[in-house]
Amino acid sequence: MAVRRQRDGGKWKGKEADRRRLLARSLPGGYAYVDLEEDLDDPALDEAVIRAGGRVIRSLYDFRGVPERLAERCRNLARGPAEIPKAAVMPGSTKDLPRLIDAYRQLESEEKILIGMGEFGLFSRILATKLGCFLTFCSVSETQAAAPGHLDPQKLVELYRFREQDRDTFLCGVIGQPIAHSRSPEFHNHGYEALGLNGVYIPFLVDDVPSFFRVAGLLDIRGFSVTMPHKQAVLPHLDERDGVLEKIGACNTVVRREGGGWFGTNTDVEGFLAPLAAEVPDLLKSETRATVIGAGGGARSVVYALRSRGIRPLIINRTIEKARALAELFDCEWSGFGGEGLARIRENSDLIVQATGVGMEPETEGDPLPDYRFSGAEVVYDLVYQPLVTVFRKRAQVAGCRTVSGLDMLFAQGAAQFEHYTGQAYPREALDHAK
Ligand code: NAP
């Protein structure tokens, strides 16, 4: 039980004397834990909590950041062995996390509750058991969270399997900015659950990649996925890269090496090819005439993948110089949008891959090629998967085209990552759950 003051992030606006009276009056309710602040000096109330059979959680809040000497300050909170010290601090950047994690290490064998509030600190709520905390906090609803970063209990228990975690739970995750929308935690955690692996996969909001590599070392992270905008920024921190990554220059998968250091690869290539191989294998031959719309990171993986199968796609992009640069790198043809571009797409239309962000939420009305009329013979692959069926894909379906889903690519590249992180194949039954 807590009656939190506004300055501690709570809703209590009344007089302090009234708050203490309310706390005292509530004790016969039989609360196991009563949250009292570090500056609350009321021995009678402390004793009343014990007499009522409860324990005091002695708390410190800092919304300005992660204070220096956090472990020492947390340790000094408890006014006796019956009290549980609690520090809730607010990391404002990935740069603040090593200091927070250091406090967990210093307090490793001591009873405590140590929380990083907000999205940068989310890991601390999910990993409370692994980090040796007495308990974690959650809110009935995330949209009306009682404190910044509270998860709802169902997500904590069902998605992150909070009750099954222990000190040995291995850790993987995904980094990005933003990251809250990511489907990867569902995908990987359902895979761990299906195989009975003692692991958890969590989203990390990251604004500073070098700091995250320190975090990954301190938390002993086994591997992590990388999404926008960090696919290039991780490159200087890798100790080993495979040939795919060398050529593509964008990394979506980082794995801890056995002897130390980090290995980087890109599973988008595998992820892109897998649905084609499953659904339209006849297209994966050098005679296939293909077009790739877009020249960003996704398109780069697509072009590499097609070239690896002997297909030389036409590359179309809004910024024509980028289409040319990508085409020159992979020995392909290129064009801009417009009349000539449309005619050339028609000549290269066995497979049309949509690899721009157009049509993606929240701007779902977008269509990258509104003037292109599908004949119905094209196979259309849209990398965008939010929404699952974009305007572009819908038009293709209505014209009678076979279409391939970006979600299948997402899951296929995720399955390849899963194998890197766990050494095991992704379990098919978990896929239905993740979908
Ligand atoms: P990116 O590197 O930022 O590239 C964005 C591409 O979209 C560029 O070619 C850009 O053209 C083009 N573009 C953006 N706005 C446009 C507009 N209004 N009109 C025409 N072209 C426009 O992004 P990315 O990483 O390649 O991702 C692109 C999309 O693919 C995203 O929706 C992403 O979610 C999706 N994706 C999906 C998967 C999957 O597993 N399914 C994997 C990777 C990517 P300019 O060069 O002219 O700016």
Side-chain angles (χ1 to χ4, degrees), residues 351-428:
L351 172 66
I352 298 178
V353 184
Q354 196 307 101
T356 75
V358 180
M360 190 170 78
E361 280 174 7
E363 288 166 34
T364 54
E365 296 307 308
D367 184 331
L369 278 185
D371 297 328
Y372 181 83
R373 297 282 158 259
F374 292 101
S375 71
E378 304 92 335
V379 172
V380 175
Y381 194 153
D382 197 335
L383 262 57
V384 174
Y385 54 86
Q386 280 171 321
L388 190 56
V389 182
T390 59
V391 167
F392 186 66
R393 188 169 167 212
K394 185 78 203 164
R395 275 206 304 119
Q397 284 173 340
V398 169
C401 299
R402 273 192 85 156
T403 66
V404 181
S405 160
L407 193 63
D408 288 343
M409 170 172 171
L410 181 80
F411 287 155
Q413 66 80 24
Q417 292 180 326
F418 188 92
E419 219 162 315
H420 278 292
Y421 304 147
T422 66
Q424 300 195 48
Y426 190 80
R428 286 216 67 77

Side-chain angles (χ1 to χ4, degrees), residues 72-95:
E72 194 186 324
R73 286 189 63 187
C74 186
R75 185 179 288 133
N76 291 338
L77 287 171
R79 296 178 189 170
E83 294 201 358
I84 305 160
K86 166 186 142 191
V89 300
M90 181 73 111
S93 160
T94 313
K95 292 178 188 159

Side-chain angles (χ1 to χ4, degrees), residues 126-323:
I126 298 171
L127 298 177
T129 310
K130 182 176 170 63
L131 294 169
C133 287
F134 187 74
L135 51 78
T136 196
F137 290 84
C138 43
S139 284
V140 173
S141 149
E142 283 178 28
T143 48
Q144 294 180 327
H150 272 193
L151 292 167
D152 75 55
Q154 194 176 1
K155 192 184 257 181
L156 206 53
V157 169
E158 292 178 6
L159 177 60
Y160 297 112
R161 291 187 297 142
F162 185 79
R163 295 211 169 102
E164 281 117 86
Q165 286 182 40
D166 55 32
R167 296 262 189 170
D168 297 328
T169 300
F170 73 79
L171 177 59
C172 290
V174 54
I175 69 167
Q177 187 182 31
I179 198 60
H181 68 284
S182 174
R183 302 276 316 263
S184 295
E186 287 164 72
F187 178 83
H188 287 268
N189 283 317
H190 290 315
Y192 299 160
E193 188 176 8
L195 291 179
L197 299 177
N198 184 13
V200 63
Y201 182 105
I202 63 184
F204 288 91
L205 177 66
V206 168
D207 65 348
D208 184 73
V209 167
S211 299
F212 185 75
F213 272 88
R214 284 189 63 202
V215 168
L218 291 168
L219 289 178
D220 203 22
I221 289 179
R222 195 187 262 200
F224 57 94
S225 316
V226 184
T227 186
M228 272 165 50
H230 298 317
K231 288 185 178 180
Q232 263 102 38
V234 297
L235 296 175
H237 303 276
L238 301 175
D239 303 281
E240 186 187 341
R241 308 155 180 220
D242 65 3
V244 180
L245 182 51
E246 290 292 356
K247 189 77 183 173
I248 294 176
C251 172
N252 79 337
T253 308
V254 178
V255 191
R256 179 186 292 282
R257 298 191 307 176
E258 264 184 28
W262 299 100
F263 164 75
T265 184
N266 190 315
T267 62
D268 278 342
V269 173
E270 237 177 301
F272 170 74
L273 289 173
L276 287 178
E279 292 176 40
V280 277
D282 291 351
L283 274 185
L284 291 176
K285 58 177 188 300
S286 57
E287 295 79 32
T288 295
R289 309 279 293 167
T291 296
V292 175
I293 313 163
R300 216 173 154 95
S301 300
V302 168
V303 173
Y304 177 94
L306 293 174
R307 293 296 288 117
S308 74
R309 296 307 181 99
I311 301 166
R312 187 173 271 122
L314 168 73
I315 299 168
I316 299 268
N317 194 48
R318 176 180 62 179
T319 309
I320 198 154
E321 297 76 35
K322 283 172 72 181

